[in-house]
Amino acid sequence: MFRMISSLLLAAASQVAVAAPIAGNWEGEATSDQWPTFLRIEIGKGAHAPATLFVLGQTVELGATKDAQTLDSTLGEGKDTLKLVGHVERGHLVGTISEAGKTFSFRLQPIPIYAPTTNRIVGWSRDLAALRNRLLTFDRSFSPSEKVAARRSIAQLRSDLPRLSDDAIRVRISRIATLTHNAHTRLYYLRNRTEVQRMPIRGWWFGNEFRVVRAAPDYAQYLGCRIDRIGSLPAAAAKARVDGLFSGSPTWRTYMSGYSLTSPEVLRGTRIVGTAGPVRYAFSDCAAATANAAIAPLPLVKSSKALESWWDLAPTYAGAPDNWKQLLGETKAPVPSYLSHPDRNYWFDDKGADGIFYIQYNRAADAADEDLATFAARAGKALSAAQPRAVVVDVRFNTGGNGSLTPKLIDAVKQAPASVPVYVLTGRATFSAGIVAAALLRQARTVKIVGEPVGDSLEFWSEGGNVILPYSGLYVHFANGAHSLSPKPCPTKDYCDNLSIASLDPDILAPPTWASYRAGRDDAMVAVTKDLQATH
């Protein structure tokens, strides 16, 4: 009897002593002194296999594993040393990651690896499993009831797969992501990655008018035209049909519709058009000889580069196709300051009209030629010397980035005497870290908000990472970092960006108008000048 028990214990001990292989793909969170950091690690098979870390948009080659059961990688020297160790424990890759004198633990779950399939129902089912088992695990913005609704929607979509086109399935997945009502949780179509085709025209909403502002050479005759119909629907009805593909404020959804309404796959998936091939548009209020046209989509060129719709408003930007035509460039209208440097993350003009010191802050990220801290110091010094009549900080096109860099810019604005009025220009593309920048400015001193409402509420979740769907290859972004910019309490006991701003609603509403844009005028700056004349 005792001999049998002893042998069983020895067998169990030998099983525990054998470490599990670490080969495979893994994903999950590392603890942090701020929001949790999402990691993905891919490890080859066998001893001394290659390992790759994907984190915060960066790809880090970790070198070879120590053996088939252990990851132990050290990169760099001194304060820049990155050390990552890990092993498999109870089906998860666990370990620590160290950098800049700080060490954080991680626990990653395995990413299923499937054999290739040509069966689209099987393939899309795998993608839906990824939504259910991975997106809903990592995204913290879903409430319990929203998770229940998402699981129901995923199950319903699974049963509907045989009768749906791929275009319709993508649209349904996009709508599932919006069930959390958090704008950072979304399917990547075009803005952050190019995954679907586009048309050879680009549009912008001016009030209820959707106008062509950039076009491929063969369609330059439609520059400035109002788009009255897309496929079977009036333009406004088409906009309403794509509205639910993304969350966020009404202005942000207007911004995002500029992408959706110029993608044939999205138009088909939302049944704005019925079949593949050319898309029929109806144009008016322009010199084009043909009011109605069937326009063929461009070939699909997938890209991982971000693409901002507002760039199409500017005559030039580095990412524009060389031969495309832009309205202001063709009409030779003056280019207003806010569209003069679309490729710059930030810049300032200390000799602006009417004695206004103008700062445009387009991206919360260090530029290649000058980091934000250096720029902010230079701007602050110039502001102290300029003795301006007013200061304008323009974040209309700041869609985000690293919000922790912004306080340096706030310090620069503080160089203006308390008697100098400060205006903050916001718009539909003010989003994420751009909203945080506007909130920090409002918290730092008395300011007037001018322009359009920002692209999201003051309570949102961001940070996070991407779940890559195994069949379609689509990226679905999830959020795990809380931001509470209003007086409401933070929704989590974990790290939270906590401010207390009553509102970022414009004190002076000044949305862009078609007449002003076409003439090269800036409606927001016109409003600032009028307010200065009336109050100072």
Side-chain angles (χ1 to χ4, degrees), residues 269-313:
T270 52
R271 294 180 297 153
I272 294 171
V273 300
T275 58
V279 175
R280 186 161 293 280
Y281 289 85
F283 301 100
S284 68
D285 194 28
C286 60
T290 305
N292 297 283
I295 299 178
L298 298 169
L300 174 59
V301 179
K302 289 193 175 186
S303 172
S304 59
K305 294 181 179 180
L307 187 69
E308 291 294 353
S309 183
W310 71 265
W311 292 340
D312 291 317
L313 292 172

Side-chain angles (χ1 to χ4, degrees), residues 43 49 88 99 158 160 240 283 409 424 457-458 501:
I43 304 173
V88 174
E99 189 177 27
R158 172 64 185 85
D160 292 342
F283 301 100
L409 186 62
V424 179
S457 72
L458 297 182
I501 305 301

Side-chain angles (χ1 to χ4, degrees), residues 296-382:
L298 298 169
L300 174 59
V301 179
K302 289 193 175 186
S303 172
S304 59
K305 294 181 179 180
L307 187 69
E308 291 294 353
S309 183
W310 71 265
W311 292 340
D312 291 317
L313 292 172
T316 60
Y317 71 93
D322 291 337
N323 59 347
W324 278 45
K325 308 298 181 183
Q326 204 280 333
L327 179 68
L328 297 185
E330 293 299 297
T331 61
K332 308 302 180 184
V335 179
S337 291
Y338 77 110
L339 296 175
S340 61
H341 299 296
D343 296 312
R344 294 190 188 179
N345 288 2
Y346 31 76
W347 64 279
F348 69 82
D349 179 5
D350 56 352
K351 297 178 176 61
D354 301 305
I356 295 173
F357 191 104
Y358 176 85
I359 303 172
Q360 188 172 45
Y361 185 31
N362 288 332
R363 187 71 186 167
D366 288 329
D369 59 342
E370 182 181 38
D371 63 41
L372 184 54
T374 302
F375 167 80
R378 185 165 60 86
K381 185 177 180 180

Side-chain angles (χ1 to χ4, degrees), residues 401-450:
N402 184 355
S404 66
L405 300 176
T406 301
K408 294 293 185 181
L409 186 62
I410 307 303
D411 291 340
V413 177
K414 287 180 180 178
Q415 299 300 314
S419 59
V420 174
V422 175
Y423 297 85
V424 179
L425 309 187
T426 62
R428 68 191 73 175
T430 307
F431 188 70
S432 192
I435 295 175
V436 174
L440 287 171
L441 285 161
R442 170 146 275 179
Q443 178 180 260
R445 58 178 296 158
T446 300
V447 301
K448 283 187 178 180
I449 307 293
V450 181

Side-chain angles (χ1 to χ4, degrees), residues 73-83 98-103:
S73 178
T74 301
L75 304 174
E77 297 178 353
K79 64 178 183 180
D80 295 324
T81 300
L82 171 69
K83 183 173 180 61
S98 304
E99 189 177 27
K102 296 181 179 180
T103 299

Side-chain angles (χ1 to χ4, degrees), residues 205 208 210 227-242 261 267 272 280-282:
W205 286 97
N208 60 4
F210 195 36
I227 300 174
D228 292 330
R229 295 186 70 86
I230 305 173
S232 62
L233 296 177
K239 177 175 179 285
R241 188 164 289 188
V242 303
L261 295 177
L267 296 175
I272 294 171
R280 186 161 293 280
Y281 289 85

Side-chain angles (χ1 to χ4, degrees), residues 173-191:
I173 290 174
S174 188
R175 294 188 190 281
I176 288 170
T178 68
L179 291 173
T180 179
H181 304 292
N182 181 60
H184 284 79
T185 303
R186 60 200 186 273
L187 175 65
Y188 283 171
Y189 269 133
L190 283 164
R191 180 176 161 263

